[in-house]
Every structure is written in C-alpha cells, then in structure tokens.
Amino acid sequence: KPSNISQRVSARLKESQNTAASLTTFQEVDMGNFMEMRHRHKDEFQKKHGVKLGFMSVFVKAATAALQEVPAINAYIDDATQEIVYRDYCDVSVAVASPNGLVVPVLRNTEYMTFADVERTIALFGQKAQNGTLALDDMTGGTFTISNGGVFGSLMGTPIINQPQSAILGMHATKMRAVVDEKGNVVARPMMYLALTYDHRLIDGREGVTFLKSVADKITDPARLVFDI
C-alpha cells in the first residue's frame, strides 16, 4: 500500500492534470561556466560550509531571481474566489527521491537563502527522506517546484505542475553536445535541456518563456546572480 505521503503527492499530480491548462516550453543551457566555477571553488566551499556544492543551489537561486522578475509564475488561482493571488515571497519545493517514492519538501523564503543555505537544507531533507522522518509540514506551502530528472539520466521530459502551484521547472541530464559559438566555430559544450510546465489559465506564453530564458541566462553566466541582472 502506498504511504500517506505518496498518496498525497499522487492526488495532487492527478488534480493538476484534471485542473490546469498545462503547457510546456523548453530552453537549453550551457552549464560550462558554472561547472568551471564549481570545480574551482567546491573544496573551499565544502571546507567552510560543511556541505558539497551541487547544481541545485544555483538553480534555486536563479529560479528565485526569475520568480521575482516574473511574478505571475509565483502566483496561483484561488479556487474559492477565482482571483489571482500574487505572493511576495518564494518557497521553492524541491523533488527528492525516497525509499517510498518521490517527495517534494519546501525551501522557505529562498529569496533570503545563500547557496550554502540551499545545499544544507536540501541535504537535510535528503536525510529525512531516506530515514522516513520527513513530515507533511515539510512539504506544505510551496509556491514553485524544481524537479531534477537529470540525476536519473533523463534527457528531456514534461514535468507535472504541483497543485496549487502554477509552474514547475524540470532539470535534465548534462551532456556534451556540438554547438556553434559566437565566432561560428563548432565546439563541444556541456548542455542541459530545461523544461517549464505552466498553467496557461494564469501564465501566458510571453511570461513563461521570459521566465525560463531568465533562468537559463543566469545559469549560463552565474555572474548575473552576483550583480542581480
């Protein structure tokens, strides 16, 4: 029999399919600059903060910045009043694998979190998921979700919105691919496909694409996160 948590997650996903007008848009992102920066600083980062520097922190911070730029992605439709509710905070749900299936604990107020805060909290949630101590409260109240199918090798997919949220970002596997650089040369670069599934009842195509392009730009050039651009 599925656990209570698995049943609740399954119910939300089915509700999403029945309720949302889901549409998925894609972008590709060059991971090279971040991977080089990560390689350069990962040992010092772990020594200072006691946690490894992974990919999730930069995606959480990039998505948070983009949510603040495009508020509709972080909003939701109140079913009772049929009004759009805009949030002035970012609580990002992060999909985590557990022995009982997929769970989505929430990082609270990611607009105030550092890279280390994000990595530390995700590591804690991962431990809780593995030993079965993750509570329903840990998974309640998210405003946006990030799912990383890339850890299992997924090249591309269309994630399902985690109701009552209005959008979900899907990360995928990083693969070396031939791309054309600014000088017209064909070079091998570590590329990742990103997917954004959003509720078209609330979010139009311009907002969805603008959000995803902003995330991709911030990952491609992590200095944009430092300079808040």
Side-chain angles (χ1 to χ4, degrees), residues 10-22 159-163 165 168 197 199 201:
S10 298
R12 280 188 173 181
L13 295 179
K14 188 58 185 172
E15 178 190 354
S16 177
Q17 289 183 320
N18 294 340
T19 304
S22 297
I160 302 174
I161 299 168
N162 182 19
Q163 287 284 329
Q165 298 172 19
I168 178 172
T197 299
D199 189 344
R201 297 177 304 160

Side-chain angles (χ1 to χ4, degrees), residues 1-65:
K1 180 181 178 179
S3 67
N4 289 338
I5 290 177
S6 294
Q7 289 182 56
R8 182 164 180 175
V9 171
S10 298
R12 280 188 173 181
L13 295 179
K14 188 58 185 172
E15 178 190 354
S16 177
Q17 289 183 320
N18 294 340
T19 304
S22 297
L23 180 64
T24 304
T25 187
F26 300 93
Q27 279 284 344
E28 61 178 359
V29 58
D30 187 332
M31 297 294 297
N33 289 334
F34 175 71
M35 291 173 69
E36 181 183 348
M37 184 178 76
R38 175 176 175 265
H39 178 74
R40 209 163 53 236
H41 299 294
K42 64 179 183 179
D43 292 339
E44 188 176 359
F45 183 93
Q46 185 171 4
K47 182 179 179 180
K48 179 174 182 178
H49 300 292
V51 66
K52 292 181 179 180
L53 176 60
F55 281 4
M56 283 304 300
S57 53
V58 72
F59 276 94
V60 168
K61 294 304 294 179
T64 299

